[in-house]
Amino acid sequence: LSHRKLPPPDPPLPRPFAVPAQRLLGLASSIQRYNEAVQQFAAGADREDPSHQPLDQLTFVIDSNFRRYPVERDSSETVLFNGLRDVFLQQKNVYISVLKIRPDERSRDAQVVIAKNLLPLQKQILDWSETLRTWNGEGLQTVDRVLVKEFAAAQAGLTRALAIGLTSGILLMLAGMVYIVRLERQTHSRYDQVVH
């Protein structure tokens, strides 16, 4: 997975890049917490309160976040979204299989479940998180390059407008001076006519 090269964000970026990046980072963080919670539950870490209600609630929240995720996304965002969703679905299946084990047998079978299912998933989560960080960095660099180009274009436009304005002002001033000189000559000519 870590060697997989994601396609760069499709230009132009339809939404501010930070928005999908934050959403995907939020999903990755939730999945990481979920994996840790499933491990603790499988190991029977909280024997005083064996209730799985907090895990059920977390499952529901992450499910909802995936369902509410915007459908408009570029190709690299889609790859990341699908990868994170696949990991979460695998985690959910492990959690369901742990629920089927009787509570008194859960701690006995915990090491097998964790080693066989949850530790490989933990590696997948870390791989996807690293890929996500790389994609985020590349996307921010792309946004920076776009902003630099836009700034350069705006600066060039402003320079052109300033040059045009300055040239127009000089031409207007010269035209005014020519007009004043001509008026002065006409005035002298009329004065001479009056004197004659």
Side-chain angles (χ1 to χ4, degrees), residues 3-190:
H3 63 271
R4 180 186 302 174
K5 178 74 174 151
L6 288 174
D10 300 333
L13 299 173
R15 298 174 279 151
F17 179 76
V19 175
Q22 286 173 352
R23 285 196 182 115
L24 287 170
L25 286 167
L27 284 172
S29 176
S30 299
I31 288 170
Q32 175 66 42
R33 284 198 319 271
Y34 186 73
N35 200 61
E36 291 167 4
V38 173
Q39 282 187 39
Q40 289 175 356
F41 182 74
D46 198 357
R47 289 188 175 84
E48 294 174 9
D49 181 18
S51 167
H52 49 84
Q53 185 177 358
L55 250 174
D56 289 344
Q57 189 175 3
L58 185 57
T59 306
F60 175 77
V61 168
I62 298 173
D63 254 332
S64 300
N65 289 339
F66 274 110
R67 278 197 305 273
R68 286 199 311 261
Y69 199 93
V71 292
E72 289 181 15
R73 44 186 182 256
D74 66 25
S75 54
S76 53
E77 187 182 350
T78 300
V79 169
L80 286 162
F81 174 83
N82 290 340
L84 291 173
R85 188 178 54 188
D86 289 346
V87 171
F88 173 65
L89 291 174
Q90 290 177 60
Q91 287 175 316
K92 202 160 72 164
N93 288 336
V94 171
Y95 173 50
I96 291 167
S97 68
V98 169
L99 281 176
K100 292 176 181 175
I101 303 171
R102 285 176 33 196
D104 56 330
E105 296 175 354
R106 200 171 288 153
S107 58
R108 186 193 67 201
D109 298 340
Q111 294 307 317
V112 175
V113 171
I114 291 170
K116 185 179 175 184
N117 300 303
L118 294 174
L119 291 181
L121 284 173
Q122 179 67 30
K123 184 178 182 320
Q124 284 187 50
I125 294 165
L126 293 174
D127 287 345
W128 278 114
S129 296
E130 183 59 35
T131 306
L132 178 54
R133 276 193 292 274
T134 303
W135 174 76
N136 189 30
E138 289 171 357
L140 290 174
Q141 286 176 0
T142 302
V143 169
D144 285 345
R145 284 194 294 270
V146 168
L147 288 175
V148 166
K149 282 182 184 176
E150 287 178 357
F151 180 75
Q155 193 175 26
L158 191 59
T159 304
R160 276 195 304 273
L162 192 61
I164 290 169
L166 191 61
T167 306
S168 300
I170 291 170
L171 289 173
L172 192 61
M173 184 183 72
L174 289 173
M177 287 175 65
V178 168
Y179 182 70
I180 288 169
V181 169
R182 202 166 72 194
L183 275 178
E184 190 178 347
R185 284 182 184 164
Q186 286 176 358
T187 304
H188 277 296
S189 174
R190 283 181 188 158

